[in-house]
Amino acid sequence: MSITAEIRVGDKTLPLPVIVGTEQEVGLDIQALRDKTGAVTFDPGYGNTGACESAVTFLDGELGILRYRGYPIEQLAGKVSFLEVSWLLLKGELPNAAELAAFTAAEKAHRALPAHVHAIIAAFPADAHPMAILSAATLSLSSTYLADEKVTEAGLNKSQLLLLAQFPTIAAAIYRKGKGLAAVAPDAKLAYSANFLHMMFEGTGNAAAGDPEIAKALDLLLILHADHEQNCSTSTVRLVGSAQTDYFASIAAGITALWGPLHGGANQAVIEMLDGIVAHGGDVNWAVAQAKDKDSSFRLMGFGHRVYKNFDPRATIIKVQADVVLGKLGKNDPQLGIAKGLEEAALKDEYFVARKLYPNVDFYSGIIYRALGFPYGLFTVLFAIGRLPGWTAHWNEHNAGKAKIGRPRQIYTGKNARDVVELSKR
Ligand code: CMC
């Protein structure tokens, strides 16, 4: 059955072309609306706005489905590596053995940071948030790398490979600088996540440094974060890139968007909230009551999602991983019990049921990161490392098409025209 649509504004009726996606999602094309009727749409928060067509990731919030390039997240998680998923997001297909070998070798060859990035990390005050440092370090790469190569496809591929290879090195350098420890050089014998743990924890006595099972668990977490279609940070990357802004600068903007506690920063906020519940004697009902209180700004962090109105499939996988990783480390973190109790209490509560609020990707991830020895401030950096291939795939997709500069309209509600009064008469 073909769908037709039209919109009537005053005495003008405009037929609207209908776009149907490969998963039968329906979009109404309103590009001619303002020209033909003088009106614009009004959609704060963009909950009903399709900003682009995209072939990268599909998610169905009602059914709890997430697929990268058509592959269900449940099949990718644990079966392939983060680098394979990165290639998948960037190129559209899983790599064959030769492609993966070449990609892996190239990633290993580009891990070391230029000296100026270490200097930038060192220049930040001790209490600077790691997301601020990550964004600045990423931005700084734009001025030094491949300035004339960046405009070519080969140069761009290389820039994107450099950033993928160097994100973990930047993160580890931020951590070690904060601890007053010297940076550890990357080890080309180690795969992506194992090398990251090595650069983070070598010489600190943290057993995670050389444990292949822990490296595999971390790789899985990165896969779960690798893309999530038009979320706040990805939309930021696309919007900034739409001005034909440099790739590194677009990613630096995405990092700052991700930092916020309503987005990726929720993983840090969850663990801080759990600390708060511990301070209240572990009483999860206290937190539920706070979250329901409309006079309080308290929210159940790690709960709710703009798109998922059912279980976030990433949260389901991460919850299992929390048990696996804590079991492997022999840790009995009371926060895990509190988190499970909080989830149970919230899912039974009419407030959360009516609003379809479920645990999201950030609810259990922080417990794993804490158990692995990551400081709270680095949790969102881990999210960023995972999300980089997704941001990059969207930046490429946006710039490959005939994308216009992103430039929303508004409904002006300010003063009408008036005359400037001289200073002495105001
Ligand atoms: N705790 C308590 N109430 C909530 C929560 C929550 N976590 N989330 C939503 N609500 C209520 C909200 O108060 C509103 O109630 P009412 O209809 O009575 O006014 C209703 O649910 C709808 O909320 P909303 O703010 O309009 O929903 P949204 O789609 O704009 O926001 C969200 C989505 C994720 C920002 C929000 O659920 C939230 O703030 N969650 C906590 C932060 C969080 O965990 N963020 C991570 C999101 S997933 C990963 C990522 O994107 O990075």
Side-chain angles (χ1 to χ4, degrees):
M1 190 185 68
S2 75
I3 303 164
T4 57
E6 60 181 32
I7 191 165
R8 202 174 63 217
V9 182
D11 58 358
K12 296 192 183 93
T13 300
L14 180 69
L16 299 177
V18 175
I19 303 169
V20 182
T22 49
E23 292 288 342
Q24 311 316 313
E25 286 170 308
V26 175
L28 307 181
D29 180 346
I30 50 105
Q31 289 183 80
L33 183 65
R34 188 168 177 282
D35 263 1
K36 301 282 186 211
T37 70
V40 298
T41 56
F42 183 62
D43 187 23
Y46 309 125
N48 300 280
T49 296
C52 59
E53 292 178 87
S54 179
V56 182
T57 286
F58 172 70
L59 72 94
D60 182 322
E62 276 70 34
L63 297 178
I65 290 173
L66 170 61
R67 299 185 201 129
Y68 300 159
R69 303 280 189 191
Y71 294 108
I73 191 68
E74 295 80 5
Q75 287 187 32
L76 292 168
K79 284 210 178 114
V80 299
S81 68
F82 176 63
L83 276 194
E84 286 172 87
V85 167
S86 301
W87 179 278
L88 171 70
L89 290 168
L90 294 172
K91 310 283 180 191
E93 297 294 340
L94 282 166
N96 63 30
E99 287 167 337
L100 182 61
F103 190 48
T104 304
E107 183 274 313
K108 286 181 174 180
H110 289 96
R111 287 172 176 168
L113 296 180
H116 86 266
V117 178
H118 283 294
I120 284 172
I121 294 169
F124 269 83
D127 58 354
H129 195 284
M131 287 296 275
I133 311 176
L134 178 68
S135 182
T138 302
L139 190 58
S140 81
L141 291 173
S142 72
S143 57
T144 50
Y145 269 131
L146 308 169
D148 42 348
E149 271 187 79
K150 271 187 290 194
V151 287
T152 66
E153 197 183 331
L156 193 56
N157 277 337
K158 194 164 169 195
S159 294
Q160 297 180 351
L161 178 74
L162 286 172
L163 202 53
L164 182 74
Q166 294 186 1
F167 247 34
T169 322
I170 296 172
I174 293 170
Y175 168 72
R176 295 188 73 99
K177 183 255 170 183
K179 289 260 174 205
L181 299 169
V184 170
D187 183 345
K189 289 190 294 306
L190 298 173
Y192 194 83
S193 292
N195 173 60
F196 177 38
L197 290 170
H198 161 74
M199 292 188 297
M200 284 284 305
F201 297 125
E202 189 57 37
T204 64
N206 184 330
D211 188 323
E213 279 183 58
I214 296 297
K216 198 163 181 240
L218 183 61
D219 218 56
L220 186 150
L221 286 169
L222 296 181
I223 291 170
L224 295 178
H225 289 87
D227 194 41
H228 215 235
E229 52 118 300
Q230 309 308 320
N231 56 83
C232 178
S233 58
T234 302
S235 298
T236 300
V237 169
R238 288 185 87 120
L239 184 63
V240 173
S242 80
Q244 295 184 358
T245 298
D246 168 276
Y247 164 71
F248 294 98
S250 304
I251 299 295
I255 293 167
T256 55
L258 185 72
W259 183 4
L262 296 190
H263 191 12
N267 59 11
Q268 178 179 347
V270 168
I271 214 84
E272 288 165 353
M273 173 187 74
L274 293 174
D275 281 346
I277 297 175
V278 170
H280 279 82
D283 182 4
V284 294
N285 293 320
W286 165 81
V288 169
Q290 286 279 307
K292 288 160 57 174
D293 181 356
K294 289 290 173 196
D295 294 328
S296 158
S297 61
F298 184 99
R299 283 197 160 196
L300 222 48
M301 301 313 286
F303 253 77
H305 198 274
R306 170 61 61 78
V307 181
Y308 291 122
K309 300 302 168 197
N310 197 328
F311 268 94
D312 179 337
R314 304 166 300 176
T316 311
I317 300 171
I318 291 183
K319 186 177 177 184
V320 174
Q321 278 302 307
D323 281 325
V324 170
V325 172
L326 267 65
K328 160 82 187 142
L329 295 173
K331 290 196 175 166
N332 181 17
D333 185 349
Q335 284 213 3
L336 181 57
I338 291 175
K340 286 181 178 174
L342 182 58
E343 175 187 346
E344 201 183 326
L347 292 180
K348 275 198 278 197
D349 191 288
E350 182 49 30
Y351 175 96
F352 291 88
V353 174
R355 290 168 181 75
K356 300 187 174 145
L357 302 171
Y358 291 87
N360 60 46
V361 68
D362 296 314
F363 193 64
Y364 286 104
S365 60
I367 291 174
I368 302 180
Y369 300 148
R370 195 168 85 133
L372 293 179
F374 288 95
Y376 292 6
L378 226 65
F379 292 4
T380 315
V381 171
L382 290 164
F383 193 147
I385 294 173
R387 186 53 55 88
L388 180 63
W391 286 333
T392 304
H394 283 277
W395 192 91
N396 288 342
E397 185 179 67
H398 198 85
N399 289 341
K402 293 193 194 97
K404 290 182 170 184
I405 188 167
R407 205 302 185 186
R409 292 279 180 165
Q410 64 170 11
I411 309 294
Y412 176 68
T413 59
K415 304 273 189 211
N416 296 116
R418 50 187 176 153
D419 295 321
V420 174
V421 178
E422 283 171 37
L423 182 59
S424 61
K425 296 188 181 147
R426 273 180 244 153

